[in-house]
Amino acid sequence: MSVDAGGFDAVTPWNDPTWRAEALGWVEESLALRDLKRASGGQGLDVRVRPWSVVVRVPVEDGPPVWFKANPKASVFEPALVRALHRWVPGQVLEPVAVDPERGWMLFPDGGELLGERADEPAAWEQAMLQYAVLQRTVSAHQPELAGFGVPDLRPQVLAPVFGMLTHRIGGLDDGVHGALSGMSSRFGEWCAELNGSGIAATIDHSDLQEGQLFGHGTGRHVFHDWDAASLAFPFASLLVVARVIRRRFGADRAPAVLARVRDVYLEPWTDDGHSMEELRRLADLATRVSPVGQALRALTPGRMFPGTDADLRAMHSVGVQEGLAAACGVVLGR
């Protein structure tokens, strides 16, 4: 058995022999219900532990491996969400082999190859984001179910009244950032009101849509994976992370043109509702100004890491939140 801790000195449930035995027992019982059996002998487990998840690659006799995932309290909704997404948008997420929503456990099949080298092709992002837009439009009809699963609510009407609270809950902000944030609550509220009154329904936001969460097999169809950071939000908030990935992938010279094309391809399905592309581009700009504040708020949610995470990791997480809020200030101020 190999264990990849990613350089973190974190306490996770995997460290507990009782929990580990219970989890692996659940895996074997779930496989048996599918007439599958965990491979024995020389094929060991590959374990990836992080302060925010435990993921185990489990070899299966006479078949591809399966993957077990356990989440901490704040993302315990993921198994129920993924099971529902498979019903709502079949073929666009991995169908779980088994889920235990109460414990936040999920067993899912191997997804094959990630987007990989195709992530350097603009067309791959265009195809993926068009498919993702259609997914979001379908899922927007299921807002009550998303809330029932415990998916965090980061809709504009939720963010507007808590904006000012962020400057008081996070220490370590420099005076310039603190002052800028404190002085723009009214403006931020206007942006949220415009998004809320746009007629575009809130829906699922993957919140971490990058190449590592996309399976692609060269067919033009993609499978969206790893929904533990998801939220209920204005749909165009998803462009924030995608924009970061594209800037990193394509560099300063190519990224602006690639990003503009990907954005427009992604926005196009909403023109079916009578929205002009000019209007949609403005809303996309506002959404990516507002959404970093939602990400900062989400980062403050209790239970984002497993119980027992040590003080150094909590301090590192706090610094990350501070940096994220400072970045949010830069975005919303147009810098």
Side-chain angles (χ1 to χ4, degrees):
M1 178 176 65
S2 64
V3 179
D4 169 19
F8 294 99
D9 184 18
V11 176
T12 74
W14 188 257
N15 300 89
D16 180 351
T18 301
W19 184 95
R20 189 165 62 242
E22 184 177 358
L24 293 177
W26 179 79
V27 168
E28 293 183 357
E29 292 170 3
S30 300
L31 288 173
L33 292 174
R34 299 287 189 104
D35 294 322
L36 299 172
K37 185 178 180 180
R38 177 181 158 192
S40 57
Q43 300 188 60
L45 303 172
D46 292 322
V47 184
R48 178 185 179 275
V49 294
R50 298 292 187 268
W52 52 85
S53 68
V54 172
V55 178
V56 183
R57 181 184 181 276
V58 182
V60 173
E61 285 189 357
D62 302 318
V66 295
W67 298 78
F68 166 80
K69 183 176 182 181
N71 290 315
K73 182 178 179 180
S75 53
V76 73
F77 61 82
E78 187 185 16
L81 172 62
V82 171
R83 181 171 59 183
L85 287 174
H86 175 69
R87 295 197 309 270
W88 299 336
V89 286
Q92 300 191 59
V93 299
L94 295 175
E95 179 183 5
V97 175
V99 298
D100 186 331
E102 295 298 321
R103 292 186 288 194
W105 291 357
M106 179 168 57
L107 193 65
F108 53 91
D110 189 79
E113 295 183 5
L114 294 169
L115 195 59
E117 293 182 359
R118 294 197 68 233
D120 289 326
E121 301 173 10
W125 288 102
E126 294 171 22
Q127 294 163 355
M129 291 306 292
L130 177 58
Q131 181 184 334
Y132 178 67
V134 175
L135 178 155
Q136 285 186 301
R137 285 169 60 80
T138 300
V139 175
S140 67
H142 299 280
Q143 293 185 43
E145 293 98 318
L146 295 176
F149 298 148
V151 175
D153 188 347
L154 300 180
R155 293 174 296 169
Q157 61 266 42
V158 173
L159 295 181
V162 301
F163 178 78
M165 176 193 72
L166 291 174
T167 61
H168 300 289
R169 286 189 61 185
I170 301 177
L173 293 175
D174 66 48
D175 291 341
V177 171
H178 189 283
L181 285 169
S182 299
M184 63 176 299
S185 291
S186 176
R187 188 180 179 194
F188 185 84
E190 291 172 359
W191 292 338
C192 290
E194 184 173 347
L195 292 172
N196 193 42
S198 66
I200 293 177
T203 186
I204 196 74
D205 172 16
H206 185 282
S207 301
D208 192 23
L209 197 57
Q210 51 185 304
E211 53 267 63
Q213 279 73 40
L214 277 168
F215 293 108
H217 306 283
T219 63
R221 297 292 293 174
H222 299 82
V223 173
F224 303 94
H225 184 54
D226 205 3
W227 293 88
D228 59 354
S231 60
L232 174 61
F234 193 84
F236 305 166
S238 295
L239 286 169
L240 183 69
V241 172
V242 173
R244 292 172 182 162
V245 174
I246 288 176
R247 291 187 185 105
R248 184 184 72 241
R249 277 277 177 180
F250 294 95
D253 292 336
R254 295 183 63 201
V258 172
L259 181 56
R261 175 61 182 164
V262 169
R263 177 202 60 199
D264 286 356
V265 168
Y266 165 73
L267 295 175
E268 193 276 334
W270 279 274
T271 63
D272 291 348
D273 300 331
H275 300 284
S276 70
M277 187 58 72
E278 181 180 5
E279 177 189 4
L280 294 171
R281 288 171 183 149
R282 171 170 172 77
L283 293 172
D285 179 63
L286 291 182
T288 53
R289 290 169 181 260
V290 166
S291 60
V293 175
Q295 290 185 356
L297 183 64
R298 173 75 187 277
L300 291 170
T301 303
R304 289 288 290 151
M305 296 184 182
F306 287 117
T309 296
D310 64 32
D312 288 342
L313 277 171
R314 288 197 300 271
M316 180 187 70
H317 178 65
S318 177
V319 169
V321 173
Q322 293 167 17
E323 292 175 347
L325 188 53
C329 179
V331 171
V332 296
L333 291 176
R335 296 206 296 264

